[in-house]
Every structure is written in C-alpha cells, then in structure tokens.
Amino acid sequence: MTELDLLFIHPPRNFEFLTHNLEKRSSYLTMPMGLFSMADLLEREGFNVKIINYALEKHLNHNFSLPKYLERYNPKIIGVDLQWALHSAGALDIIKMAKILYPSSFTVLGGYTATYFAKEIMNAYDFIDGIIKSDAEVPIVQLAKNVNSLDKVPNLIYRNNGKIYDNNITYLTENLDELNFTNFHFLEHWKEYISYTYNVMHNAWPVEMARGCPFNCVNCAGSYATYSRYIGRKKTIFRSPYKVVEDIKKVAEVSDINGIYYGHGIYPVTEKYFMEINKLIREEKMDVYAELELWRLPMSEKAIQDFIET
C-alpha cells in the first residue's frame, strides 16, 4: 500500500443520477484548474498527492469503487472541491463517504461555493473537518504541514472538539506565474480527462489566465463585489502571456487537444493582453482553435482581426 499525504477527489454533480448521466454533459467532469496547481505545490514540498475525478473513473469503469481506492492509498487528508454550486450534492456525499470509511483522515472542502457558504456548511455537516476559503495553494500546503496545529493554517475554518474556529482569509495568490497548471500526472487517467473535456463536456481546454474581475454583472457571482467581499480580492491579476502560451504548448504536446478556451474575457482593457498572447501563438505556428468570451463592448476592429488571423 502506498500511503498518500493528500488525495483530491473531484465530485460528480450528484450520485443519484450519475449512472444515467455518465455519457452526458450533466455528469460534469470539469474540474477547477487549481487542483493541478495545489498538487504541484504539495509535491514540491515533498508530499505524496493524487487527484481522482469520480465521474471520469465511473465513466471508464462502471465498477470503480471509491472505498477500494481509499483502502489502497489510506490518505491522511481528503480534499473535495466545491467550486460550482451544481456540485453541492455530490461534494457532500463524497466527503461524507470518505469520513465514514476513514474517520482519522482530515476532510476538507475548498472552492468558490465552499467559501461563500463556509460557515453554513460547517454548522450543518460534522463530517467536514475544515474548509479552505478563497485561494488555497499556500493554505493547503500549510494544512499538510500543520494538520495537528490548525490555528497556523491561513484561510481555514475548522472544527476542534465540537467548536468551530475561523482563521479568516489572510492569504491571496499574487503571482500566478509561480504556479503550474499543466503537471497533469497527478490526475488518474489524465489523458482521458483531456479528451473527455471536449468529447463529453463539449468544452475546449480551459487555460488559466487570471483571477478576479473588475465588473459587477448582475447575473454573475464572480463579480468584483463578490470577489472583494467573500474572496478578499480587490484587483484582477493576470498570468504573463508567455506562461499562458507555455500551457497551450504543453497540453498540445501531450494530447490530441481539440482547442483552447481562454479562461478570462476580453474587454477594452485586456485587448492588448490577448493580442500579445495571439502574437506568441502565431510565432509558435500553433494550429489550435480558441473560444473567447466577450465581456464588454466595444471590441476594436484591430483586436477582432488579430484574433481571426491567429
């Protein structure tokens, strides 16, 4: 048995209908890219870490058993992402199952939705030992180092002897270039995941580009107001164009990528940023298509032509 310091489990949308939805988009295989960056940082610090995508594993093997997988690796910490609200049922079911099977493991949630509802979740579900709020790269490393000294872990709300303690958000990622989002080997069946992102989810590969937003769109929970109030981020930060293109090259080299999805929208202030990325793609003579969201009009004729040319 190879013991793991930390196992990340990406939950299905739900368990009740998963068997019927395995071939459909509603199985929701898509994972937050931060799982890769966290796993990479943990490995740099000497920890053994893996990621599994539960819906993907069931897709590949209908007899896949999470209890048997956990028995194989006996993880000290079990982390479940709750980034999008539609995963709420699946995330809670996964982490409850894990806690029942391995009561000595520390169970932790993270992600945007988990952050927003952190206190409510902790009060309602005693099988969750903690939630990392906001950016989690450094906090997850600190959790792995201080699982017996939880007061030292930034951004963590946790349970101790029946009481809930909140360390508050004191850490935010400021330099995305220091993070690695393409170290895919942490994920079981990562080649299939890249393929199924397109073939099942009908999404091009998401490229990590930025965090934060300068706008307050009424229909979006990722607005500036929400980021500022709940995440603690008051400015948008970007990866360098070179790092973005480096990621595109990496995923193209290791897989039959069908295209890329720019993980941030274009608006007047970001036109130059996207044009720098496009220039590098052209210089590399890369043959990929891209999906781009338009967050604000107008988009200049120059930027439109640049995108078409690329």
Side-chain angles (χ1 to χ4, degrees):
M1 180 176 67
T2 303
E3 288 197 354
L4 286 176
D5 295 300
L6 200 146
L7 173 67
F8 289 115
I9 307 174
H10 175 65
R13 184 173 181 178
N14 55 55
F15 278 79
E16 186 176 359
F17 302 106
L18 179 60
T19 302
H20 301 291
N21 291 335
L22 282 175
E23 307 296 328
K24 302 175 183 177
R25 195 174 190 272
S26 52
S27 65
Y28 219 84
L29 300 166
T30 303
M31 306 188 313
M33 294 298 288
L35 290 176
F36 291 111
S37 61
M38 287 189 291
D40 180 76
L41 279 181
L42 284 160
E43 185 181 65
R44 288 191 227 171
E45 293 288 336
F47 295 103
N48 294 322
V49 56
K50 279 186 175 294
I51 307 168
I52 61 169
N53 185 316
Y54 186 85
L56 175 64
E57 294 302 319
K58 295 295 282 188
H59 191 115
L60 297 173
N61 175 11
H62 290 196
N63 295 318
F64 172 78
S65 167
L66 183 60
K68 289 183 179 179
Y69 190 93
L70 292 172
E71 183 180 356
R72 177 182 173 190
Y73 288 109
N74 189 27
K76 298 174 184 175
I77 300 173
I78 299 171
V80 177
D81 61 278
L82 180 48
Q83 176 76 356
W84 300 290
L86 62 93
H87 281 286
S88 298
L92 292 172
D93 285 344
I94 281 276
I95 205 165
K96 182 178 181 179
M97 180 193 301
K99 193 63 175 176
I100 291 172
L101 293 168
Y102 283 87
S104 62
S105 294
F106 189 91
T107 51
V108 60
L109 281 178
Y112 199 88
T113 298
T115 296
Y116 192 97
F117 296 104
K119 290 183 179 179
E120 180 179 336
I121 293 170
M122 289 297 293
N123 283 318
Y125 304 104
D126 60 6
F127 50 82
I128 298 170
D129 294 320
I131 296 174
I132 293 179
K133 299 182 292 182
S134 187
D135 292 346
E137 281 87 1
V138 166
I140 197 68
V141 172
Q142 291 303 312
L143 177 61
K145 291 180 177 179
N146 299 288
V147 73
N148 295 316
S149 305
L150 298 175
D151 59 309
K152 297 180 181 179
V153 182
N155 299 15
L156 181 70
I157 180 170
Y158 64 97
R159 195 184 314 279
N160 188 9
N161 294 324
K163 293 184 179 181
I164 296 172
Y165 299 86
D166 192 342
N167 293 344
N168 298 317
I169 296 172
T170 58
Y171 166 79
L172 284 176
T173 302
E174 295 297 338
N175 186 354
L176 292 174
D177 282 359
E178 294 177 346
L179 303 177
N180 187 336
F181 298 94
T182 54
N183 209 342
F184 302 124
H185 76 271
F186 297 110
L187 174 65
E188 295 275 16
H189 298 108
W190 61 268
K191 289 185 178 180
E192 290 87 347
Y193 175 66
I194 294 175
S195 172
Y196 285 21
T197 296
Y198 183 81
N199 292 324
V200 175
M201 297 302 298
H202 311 301
N203 292 335
W205 181 256
V207 181
E208 186 76 13
M209 301 178 73
R211 289 186 186 176
C213 183
F215 302 119
N216 278 317
C217 299
V218 70
N219 64 319
C220 182
S223 67
Y224 172 80
T226 311
Y227 262 106
S228 177
R229 182 175 179 182
Y230 294 99
I231 305 298
R233 184 170 298 286
K234 299 183 184 298
K235 65 177 181 179
T236 307
I237 60 170
F238 293 86
R239 295 181 80 199
S240 67
Y242 173 80
K243 281 290 187 180
V244 172
V245 175
E246 196 176 63
D247 278 11
I248 299 170
K249 286 175 61 180
K250 176 67 179 293
V251 70
E253 287 170 359
V254 301
S255 69
D256 297 324
I257 185 176
N258 289 284
I260 58 169
Y261 165 69
Y262 284 127
H264 196 78
I266 193 168
Y267 40 93
V269 175
T270 59
E271 283 190 0
K272 182 179 179 182
Y273 175 71
F274 277 98
M275 289 168 69
E276 290 176 6
I277 292 171
N278 292 340
K279 179 175 180 289
L280 290 171
I281 290 174
R282 294 195 301 270
E283 288 175 354
E284 293 287 345
K285 295 180 169 46
M286 298 175 66
D287 185 18
V288 295
Y289 89 83
E291 297 176 0
L292 176 64
E293 287 187 333
L294 195 62
W295 283 7
R296 278 293 192 279
L297 292 172
M299 181 176 176
S300 71
E301 181 73 17
K302 183 177 181 181
I304 292 172
Q305 290 302 323
D306 184 77
F307 185 72
I308 293 170
E309 180 185 349
T310 307

